[in-house]
């Protein structure tokens, strides 16, 4: 009776970044907005755009004076809530997500002030979560923004590297995001398989992960060595 069926149970799931993702971003001149639009063509995610409470500010006027003043206030007193510009309420709880991708414009080598406000208020709810950082700047390097993210989300599990897209590269965001997702392992489930039954062999193996069928595929046991597989449409890294 026995169908030739080989069941592998992947008991230890060490990482599932595929799960639920929130993208949080701020954008003044819409470069980060365009980047996030492209990102959400490639991944399933809920998206929140941070908005300053004070409307109509011209952050670029007088050599970016307002943005400069906001960044200075934060630099001078980073632990004081009153250093951060007010933002509109956000009704999404980061605690509901496994992965949070932050889309940040760079202002004076730092993360744009309104986004810092959001993370100052919510970063502690992101402890242990996968955190991806995408930064847009005209030309300045992004290490200051990375430091802000780590200060504001001290217990985040950061995907590395961050993705830096210069404003002049915004139209190339699609391929840059695709490579970055691959590089960070965003979409890859890593499993250490516990093989329950290897007495039968077949070209149609049923794979289960945490008791859930991941899919059927044409891998035989012999081929399932350490490495990256696409099983049932999912990228799965087998780490035995
Ligand atoms: C207040 C302010 C300060 C900025 N400071 C810098 C800077 O120091 N270095 C830099 O390369 N770009 C700087 N920029 C440019 C932005 O980082 C860049 O235009 C980015 O693409 C903006 O993203 P957005 O269009 O999503 O707002 C600054 C922009 C603003 C508004």
């Amino acid at each position: 009776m026995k169908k030739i069926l080989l069941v592998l149970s992947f008991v230890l799931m060490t990482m599932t970044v595929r799960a639920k993702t929130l993208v949080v971003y701020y954008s003044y001149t819409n470069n980060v907005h365009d980047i996030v639009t492209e990102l959400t063509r490639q991944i399933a995610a809920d998206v929140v755009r941070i908005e300053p409470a004070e409307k109509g500010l011209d952050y670029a006027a007088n050599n970016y004076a307002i943005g400069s003043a906001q960044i200075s206030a934060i630099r001078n007193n980073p632990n004081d809530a009153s250093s951060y510009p007010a933002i509109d309420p956000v009704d999404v709880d980061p605690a509901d997500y496994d992965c949070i991708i932050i889309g940040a414009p760079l202002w004076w080598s730092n993360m744009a002030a309104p986004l810092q406000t959001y993370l100052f208020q919510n970063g502690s709810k992101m402890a242990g979560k996968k955190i991806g950082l995408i930064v847009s700047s005209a030309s300045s390097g992004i290490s200051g923004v990375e430091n802000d993210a780590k200060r504001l989300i001290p217990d985040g599990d950061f995907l590395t590297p961050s993705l830096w897209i210069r404003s002049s590269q915004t139209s190339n965001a699609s391929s840059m995001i695709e490579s970055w997702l691959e590089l960070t392992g965003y979409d890859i489930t890593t499993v250490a398989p516990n093989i329950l039954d290897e007495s039968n062999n077949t070209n149609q193996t049923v794979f289960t992960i945490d008791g859930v069928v991941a899919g059927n595929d044409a891998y035989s046991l012999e081929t399932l060595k350490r490495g990256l597989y696409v099983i049932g449409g999912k990228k799965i890294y087998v780490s035995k």
Side-chain angles (χ1 to χ4, degrees):
M1 74 133 245
K2 297 263 161 81
K3 299 216 162 137
I4 302 176
L5 186 69
L6 183 67
V7 178
L8 299 182
S9 182
F10 297 102
V11 175
L12 181 62
M13 187 189 294
T14 55
M15 183 179 80
T16 305
V17 187
R18 168 177 281 267
K20 218 177 157 196
T21 297
L22 175 67
V23 179
V24 183
Y25 75 102
Y26 168 70
S27 189
Y28 175 51
T29 50
N30 277 333
N31 288 329
V32 173
H33 174 77
D34 290 348
I35 290 166
V36 166
T37 302
E38 185 51 50
L39 175 67
T40 53
R41 283 195 191 109
Q42 299 187 30
I43 65 167
D46 293 340
V47 179
V48 167
R49 181 173 185 160
I50 301 303
E51 296 290 356
E54 195 173 353
K55 308 300 176 198
L57 291 180
D58 183 352
Y59 293 101
N62 304 320
N63 195 26
Y64 303 99
I66 296 173
S68 175
Q70 291 186 347
I71 291 297
S72 292
I74 295 171
R75 279 186 194 158
N76 292 339
N77 279 302
N79 298 323
D80 184 346
S82 68
S83 305
Y84 294 81
I87 58 173
D88 287 348
V90 175
D91 64 355
V92 168
D93 186 354
D96 293 340
Y97 295 85
D98 308 294
C99 179
I100 294 143
I101 298 180
I102 297 157
L106 175 147
W107 284 7
W108 301 109
S109 298
N110 286 99
M111 181 183 292
L115 191 57
Q116 290 204 49
T117 303
Y118 174 79
L119 294 180
F120 183 79
Q121 295 170 354
N122 292 279
S124 62
K125 296 176 199 157
M126 301 178 187
K129 297 185 185 299
K130 296 281 172 195
I131 309 290
L133 180 63
I134 302 177
V135 183
S136 172
S137 77
S139 58
S140 300
I142 67 167
S143 60
V145 182
E146 290 181 305
N147 290 340
D148 288 331
K150 285 177 187 151
R151 170 175 56 83
L152 295 162
I153 316 171
D155 297 316
D157 180 7
F158 282 82
L159 300 175
T160 53
S162 308
L163 176 58
W164 174 20
I165 302 180
R166 293 176 184 80
S167 30
S168 61
Q169 296 173 307
T170 306
S171 58
N172 299 336
S174 172
S175 59
M176 294 176 79
I177 290 167
E178 195 178 344
S179 307
W180 179 70
L181 291 171
E182 191 79 39
L183 194 62
T184 57
Y186 171 83
D187 200 21
I188 295 173
T189 301
T190 300
V191 293
N194 178 21
I195 297 162
L196 291 184
D197 177 5
E198 52 186 313
S199 60
N200 295 313
N201 201 353
T202 176
N203 286 332
Q204 273 296 301
T205 303
V206 176
F207 298 92
T208 63
I209 298 175
D210 265 3
V212 177
V213 173
N216 299 331
D217 245 302
Y219 296 108
S220 70
L221 191 58
E222 289 73 35
T223 63
L224 204 71
K225 306 289 186 205
R226 183 187 185 93
L228 184 65
Y229 301 87
V230 178
I231 296 174
K234 292 187 178 119
K235 288 181 194 162
I236 295 181
Y237 184 77
V238 176
S239 63
K240 64 178 173 177

mmCIF file of all heavy atoms in Angstrom, residues 26-32 59 64 67 105-109 136-140 167, ligand 1:
data_model
loop_
_atom_site.group_PDB
_atom_site.id
_atom_site.type_symbol
_atom_site.label_atom_id
_atom_site.label_comp_id
_atom_site.label_asym_id
_atom_site.label_seq_id
_atom_site.Cartn_x
_atom_site.Cartn_y
_atom_site.Cartn_z
ATOM 1 N N TYR A 26 10.124 57.312 5.991
ATOM 2 C CA TYR A 26 9.790 58.727 5.865
ATOM 3 C C TYR A 26 10.385 59.177 4.544
ATOM 4 O O TYR A 26 11.400 58.645 4.080
ATOM 5 C CB TYR A 26 10.382 59.535 7.030
ATOM 6 C CG TYR A 26 10.296 61.018 6.777
ATOM 7 C CD1 TYR A 26 9.060 61.666 6.784
ATOM 8 C CD2 TYR A 26 11.432 61.769 6.484
ATOM 9 C CE1 TYR A 26 8.962 63.017 6.510
ATOM 10 C CE2 TYR A 26 11.339 63.125 6.221
ATOM 11 C CZ TYR A 26 10.109 63.745 6.226
ATOM 12 O OH TYR A 26 10.016 65.074 5.944
ATOM 13 N N SER A 27 9.738 60.152 3.913
ATOM 14 C CA SER A 27 10.275 60.666 2.657
ATOM 15 C C SER A 27 9.817 62.106 2.486
ATOM 16 O O SER A 27 8.621 62.385 2.579
ATOM 17 C CB SER A 27 9.767 59.806 1.486
ATOM 18 O OG SER A 27 10.425 60.157 0.294
ATOM 19 N N TYR A 28 10.773 62.999 2.270
ATOM 20 C CA TYR A 28 10.418 64.397 2.051
ATOM 21 C C TYR A 28 10.280 64.687 0.550
ATOM 22 O O TYR A 28 9.280 65.235 0.115
ATOM 23 C CB TYR A 28 11.482 65.299 2.693
ATOM 24 C CG TYR A 28 11.275 66.767 2.432
ATOM 25 C CD1 TYR A 28 10.032 67.366 2.689
ATOM 26 C CD2 TYR A 28 12.314 67.560 1.953
ATOM 27 C CE1 TYR A 28 9.841 68.718 2.448
ATOM 28 C CE2 TYR A 28 12.126 68.908 1.725
ATOM 29 C CZ TYR A 28 10.888 69.485 1.965
ATOM 30 O OH TYR A 28 10.705 70.820 1.714
ATOM 31 N N THR A 29 11.265 64.278 -0.233
ATOM 32 C CA THR A 29 11.207 64.541 -1.677
ATOM 33 C C THR A 29 10.894 63.280 -2.491
ATOM 34 O O THR A 29 11.116 63.236 -3.700
ATOM 35 C CB THR A 29 12.529 65.185 -2.166
ATOM 36 O OG1 THR A 29 13.639 64.409 -1.706
ATOM 37 C CG2 THR A 29 12.668 66.607 -1.646
ATOM 38 N N ASN A 30 10.412 62.259 -1.829
ATOM 39 C CA ASN A 30 9.842 61.052 -2.460
ATOM 40 C C ASN A 30 10.843 60.056 -3.037
ATOM 41 O O ASN A 30 10.425 59.090 -3.681
ATOM 42 C CB ASN A 30 8.794 61.408 -3.524
ATOM 43 C CG ASN A 30 7.447 61.677 -2.878
ATOM 44 O OD1 ASN A 30 7.157 61.153 -1.807
ATOM 45 N ND2 ASN A 30 6.624 62.499 -3.524
ATOM 46 N N ASN A 31 12.141 60.252 -2.795
ATOM 47 C CA ASN A 31 13.065 59.206 -3.255
ATOM 48 C C ASN A 31 12.843 57.914 -2.468
ATOM 49 O O ASN A 31 12.753 56.829 -3.058
ATOM 50 C CB ASN A 31 14.522 59.671 -3.102
ATOM 51 C CG ASN A 31 14.882 60.737 -4.113
ATOM 52 O OD1 ASN A 31 14.349 60.749 -5.226
ATOM 53 N ND2 ASN A 31 15.760 61.644 -3.740
ATOM 54 N N VAL A 32 12.748 58.029 -1.162
ATOM 55 C CA VAL A 32 12.516 56.817 -0.359
ATOM 56 C C VAL A 32 11.125 56.250 -0.668
ATOM 57 O O VAL A 32 10.946 55.031 -0.718
ATOM 58 C CB VAL A 32 12.698 57.099 1.153
ATOM 59 C CG1 VAL A 32 12.288 55.884 1.978
ATOM 60 C CG2 VAL A 32 14.149 57.475 1.444
ATOM 61 N N TYR A 59 11.980 71.882 4.411
ATOM 62 C CA TYR A 59 13.227 71.433 5.030
ATOM 63 C C TYR A 59 14.456 71.844 4.227
ATOM 64 O O TYR A 59 15.566 71.839 4.743
ATOM 65 C CB TYR A 59 13.208 69.909 5.188
ATOM 66 C CG TYR A 59 12.178 69.423 6.175
ATOM 67 C CD1 TYR A 59 10.968 68.893 5.746
ATOM 68 C CD2 TYR A 59 12.413 69.502 7.545
ATOM 69 C CE1 TYR A 59 10.019 68.451 6.653
ATOM 70 C CE2 TYR A 59 11.464 69.063 8.459
ATOM 71 C CZ TYR A 59 10.267 68.539 8.005
ATOM 72 O OH TYR A 59 9.335 68.101 8.911
ATOM 73 N N TYR A 64 18.813 74.020 4.127
ATOM 74 C CA TYR A 64 18.269 72.921 4.948
ATOM 75 C C TYR A 64 18.238 73.263 6.438
ATOM 76 O O TYR A 64 18.472 72.412 7.296
ATOM 77 C CB TYR A 64 19.066 71.625 4.726
ATOM 78 C CG TYR A 64 19.102 71.182 3.286
ATOM 79 C CD1 TYR A 64 20.199 71.454 2.470
ATOM 80 C CD2 TYR A 64 18.025 70.492 2.726
ATOM 81 C CE1 TYR A 64 20.226 71.070 1.143
ATOM 82 C CE2 TYR A 64 18.043 70.092 1.403
ATOM 83 C CZ TYR A 64 19.144 70.389 0.620
ATOM 84 O OH TYR A 64 19.159 70.002 -0.682
ATOM 85 N N GLY A 67 15.814 71.159 8.898
ATOM 86 C CA GLY A 67 16.309 69.796 9.099
ATOM 87 C C GLY A 67 17.579 69.811 9.945
ATOM 88 O O GLY A 67 17.763 68.968 10.833
ATOM 89 N N PRO A 105 15.663 58.583 4.645
ATOM 90 C CA PRO A 105 16.512 59.600 4.013
ATOM 91 C C PRO A 105 17.634 59.978 4.978
ATOM 92 O O PRO A 105 17.442 59.937 6.203
ATOM 93 C CB PRO A 105 15.558 60.797 3.835
ATOM 94 C CG PRO A 105 14.189 60.290 4.115
ATOM 95 C CD PRO A 105 14.349 59.093 5.022
ATOM 96 N N LEU A 106 18.780 60.334 4.431
ATOM 97 C CA LEU A 106 19.890 60.827 5.258
ATOM 98 C C LEU A 106 19.799 62.341 5.343
ATOM 99 O O LEU A 106 19.643 63.019 4.327
ATOM 100 C CB LEU A 106 21.219 60.392 4.625
ATOM 101 C CG LEU A 106 22.523 60.892 5.259
ATOM 102 C CD1 LEU A 106 23.622 59.846 5.101
ATOM 103 C CD2 LEU A 106 22.971 62.235 4.676
ATOM 104 N N TRP A 107 19.882 62.846 6.549
ATOM 105 C CA TRP A 107 19.940 64.297 6.780
ATOM 106 C C TRP A 107 21.201 64.601 7.572
ATOM 107 O O TRP A 107 21.346 64.125 8.702
ATOM 108 C CB TRP A 107 18.734 64.771 7.593
ATOM 109 C CG TRP A 107 17.434 64.869 6.849
ATOM 110 C CD1 TRP A 107 17.144 64.465 5.577
ATOM 111 C CD2 TRP A 107 16.214 65.426 7.371
ATOM 112 N NE1 TRP A 107 15.839 64.726 5.263
ATOM 113 C CE2 TRP A 107 15.239 65.320 6.342
ATOM 114 C CE3 TRP A 107 15.843 65.993 8.586
ATOM 115 C CZ2 TRP A 107 13.924 65.763 6.514
ATOM 116 C CZ3 TRP A 107 14.547 66.429 8.755
ATOM 117 C CH2 TRP A 107 13.594 66.330 7.725
ATOM 118 N N TRP A 108 22.089 65.357 6.996
ATOM 119 C CA TRP A 108 23.313 65.767 7.711
ATOM 120 C C TRP A 108 23.984 64.566 8.356
ATOM 121 O O TRP A 108 24.279 64.577 9.544
ATOM 122 C CB TRP A 108 22.993 66.847 8.755
ATOM 123 C CG TRP A 108 22.388 68.068 8.136
ATOM 124 C CD1 TRP A 108 21.106 68.497 8.240
ATOM 125 C CD2 TRP A 108 23.046 69.004 7.280
ATOM 126 N NE1 TRP A 108 20.911 69.638 7.508
ATOM 127 C CE2 TRP A 108 22.084 69.977 6.913
ATOM 128 C CE3 TRP A 108 24.351 69.126 6.770
ATOM 129 C CZ2 TRP A 108 22.380 71.048 6.065
ATOM 130 C CZ3 TRP A 108 24.642 70.200 5.933
ATOM 131 C CH2 TRP A 108 23.666 71.137 5.602
ATOM 132 N N SER A 109 24.166 63.546 7.587
ATOM 133 C CA SER A 109 24.832 62.297 8.014
ATOM 134 C C SER A 109 24.027 61.470 9.007
ATOM 135 O O SER A 109 24.481 60.425 9.459
ATOM 136 C CB SER A 109 26.219 62.561 8.634
ATOM 137 O OG SER A 109 27.032 63.159 7.662
ATOM 138 N N SER A 136 18.649 56.434 1.724
ATOM 139 C CA SER A 136 18.818 57.248 0.524
ATOM 140 C C SER A 136 19.550 58.525 0.908
ATOM 141 O O SER A 136 19.156 59.215 1.856
ATOM 142 C CB SER A 136 17.443 57.593 -0.060
ATOM 143 O OG SER A 136 17.570 58.521 -1.113
ATOM 144 N N SER A 137 20.635 58.827 0.196
ATOM 145 C CA SER A 137 21.329 60.107 0.398
ATOM 146 C C SER A 137 21.762 60.630 -0.953
ATOM 147 O O SER A 137 21.812 59.874 -1.927
ATOM 148 C CB SER A 137 22.549 59.934 1.304
ATOM 149 O OG SER A 137 23.625 59.347 0.600
ATOM 150 N N ALA A 138 22.102 61.928 -1.004
ATOM 151 C CA ALA A 138 22.613 62.482 -2.255
ATOM 152 C C ALA A 138 23.991 61.901 -2.541
ATOM 153 O O ALA A 138 24.267 61.433 -3.636
ATOM 154 C CB ALA A 138 22.668 64.002 -2.169
ATOM 155 N N SER A 139 24.856 61.906 -1.529
ATOM 156 C CA SER A 139 26.214 61.395 -1.724
ATOM 157 C C SER A 139 26.867 60.913 -0.430
ATOM 158 O O SER A 139 27.782 60.107 -0.482
ATOM 159 C CB SER A 139 27.098 62.476 -2.358
ATOM 160 O OG SER A 139 27.113 63.625 -1.524
ATOM 161 N N SER A 140 26.421 61.418 0.715
ATOM 162 C CA SER A 140 27.100 61.077 1.978
ATOM 163 C C SER A 140 26.950 59.604 2.320
ATOM 164 O O SER A 140 25.885 59.007 2.104
ATOM 165 C CB SER A 140 26.522 61.890 3.137
ATOM 166 O OG SER A 140 26.692 63.252 2.903
ATOM 167 N N SER A 167 20.482 59.166 -4.284
ATOM 168 C CA SER A 167 19.283 59.692 -4.950
ATOM 169 C C SER A 167 19.374 59.538 -6.468
ATOM 170 O O SER A 167 18.364 59.274 -7.127
ATOM 171 C CB SER A 167 19.012 61.143 -4.539
ATOM 172 O OG SER A 167 20.176 61.829 -4.237
HETATM 173 C C1 LIG B 1 17.443 68.407 5.691
HETATM 174 C C2 LIG B 1 18.204 67.612 4.673
HETATM 175 C C3 LIG B 1 19.541 67.333 4.891
HETATM 176 C C4 LIG B 1 20.256 66.565 3.954
HETATM 177 N N1 LIG B 1 21.582 66.284 4.211
HETATM 178 C C5 LIG B 1 22.280 65.529 3.331
HETATM 179 C C6 LIG B 1 23.659 65.219 3.550
HETATM 180 O O1 LIG B 1 24.262 65.629 4.554
HETATM 181 N N2 LIG B 1 24.303 64.448 2.642
HETATM 182 C C7 LIG B 1 23.674 63.951 1.537
HETATM 183 O O2 LIG B 1 24.309 63.242 0.760
HETATM 184 N N3 LIG B 1 22.364 64.216 1.294
HETATM 185 C C8 LIG B 1 21.661 65.007 2.155
HETATM 186 N N4 LIG B 1 20.342 65.297 1.914
HETATM 187 C C9 LIG B 1 19.725 64.775 0.684
HETATM 188 C C10 LIG B 1 18.858 63.558 0.960
HETATM 189 O O3 LIG B 1 19.513 62.594 1.728
HETATM 190 C C11 LIG B 1 18.487 62.903 -0.379
HETATM 191 O O4 LIG B 1 17.959 63.854 -1.258
HETATM 192 C C12 LIG B 1 17.491 61.772 -0.191
HETATM 193 O O5 LIG B 1 17.358 61.091 -1.425
HETATM 194 C C13 LIG B 1 16.151 62.310 0.261
HETATM 195 O O6 LIG B 1 15.208 61.277 0.368
HETATM 196 P P1 LIG B 1 13.651 61.603 0.214
HETATM 197 O O7 LIG B 1 13.450 62.104 -1.195
HETATM 198 O O8 LIG B 1 12.957 60.322 0.438
HETATM 199 O O9 LIG B 1 13.280 62.650 1.222
HETATM 200 C C14 LIG B 1 19.610 66.077 2.792
HETATM 201 C C15 LIG B 1 18.264 66.387 2.592
HETATM 202 C C16 LIG B 1 17.560 67.147 3.510
HETATM 203 C C17 LIG B 1 16.112 67.449 3.259
#
